Amino acid sequence: MSTSAAEKAEIDVAARRQASQRNVWAGVLFGIGTVAFIDEAVFHQILHWHHFYDLSGTDIGLVSDGFFHALSWFATIGGLFLVADLRRRRAFWATRWWGGVLLGGGGFQLYDGLIQHKLLGIHQIRYVDDLLPYDLTWNAIALLMIVAGVVLLIRTRRNILPAGG
């Protein structure tokens, strides 16, 4: 995440400060899309541990996976369009963007683990007798991502504020 001298010369600091929140939102969208893609590719397609919607038959499960996959790509592409715009304006801020990526990815994973798995029960990580290790791992990784993202956002927030403010 270090910035080379040539890149520093190309950064418009005032534009970057103005686009601070847009850097975060670009990262959040990209993070949601990436975590959803990893979930879909690894747990749905490669391991066959679950489908997005498991309260019906396999056909509905596969269709729901398709919609979930499309949603993840819309989020990813939306995030990348925002990044392209930020780079065009010389306002891209990689550290702040990574904070958004971790916050968005962790937030989505925690939402999936708590709301979709436990509250709605539309699928589980894996259908085994003891779900606790899977749930704890899933949600702990989500919390770690959220904490890391918030730390990065706080650190970059200090750079936005004027000295002494």
Side-chain angles (χ1 to χ4, degrees):
M1 286 194 282
S2 67
T3 307
S4 71
E7 288 175 333
K8 283 182 182 177
E10 295 178 11
I11 294 172
D12 182 338
V13 175
R16 190 170 81 168
R17 284 185 177 157
Q18 231 176 6
S20 169
Q21 289 304 313
R22 199 172 321 155
N23 274 282
V24 174
W25 281 110
V28 166
L29 280 175
F30 189 79
I32 289 170
T34 301
V35 167
F37 172 78
I38 292 169
D39 180 21
E40 170 71 23
V42 173
F43 298 104
H44 297 216
Q45 295 174 357
I46 295 171
L47 297 175
H48 295 189
W49 281 5
H50 65 263
H51 296 291
F52 181 75
Y53 185 77
D54 278 335
L55 299 179
S56 185
T58 303
D59 290 343
I60 298 297
L62 289 172
V63 169
S64 70
D65 284 349
F67 284 116
F68 179 57
H69 201 57
L71 177 72
S72 75
W73 277 111
F74 283 129
T76 303
I77 298 301
L80 290 176
F81 268 110
L82 287 174
V83 168
D85 182 57
L86 290 165
R87 291 191 69 86
R88 184 181 60 82
R89 297 172 189 261
R90 300 181 337 177
F92 181 65
W93 192 344
T95 307
R96 197 143 174 87
W97 180 79
W98 273 108
V101 169
L102 291 167
L103 183 63
F108 174 77
Q109 187 162 324
L110 190 61
Y111 162 79
D112 185 39
L114 296 178
I115 304 299
Q116 294 181 345
H117 295 177
K118 298 303 159 198
L119 185 65
L120 300 175
I122 61 173
H123 66 261
Q124 298 296 326
I125 296 171
R126 191 170 190 189
Y127 293 96
V128 294
D129 290 335
D130 189 9
L131 279 171
L132 188 61
Y134 293 97
D135 288 336
L136 288 177
T137 302
W138 189 262
N139 292 325
I141 291 170
L143 287 173
L144 287 173
M145 290 172 64
I146 290 169
V147 168
V150 167
V151 167
L152 286 176
L153 293 176
I154 288 171
R155 288 182 62 197
T156 54
R157 175 97 177 119
R158 286 188 193 134
N159 293 336
I160 295 170
L161 298 174

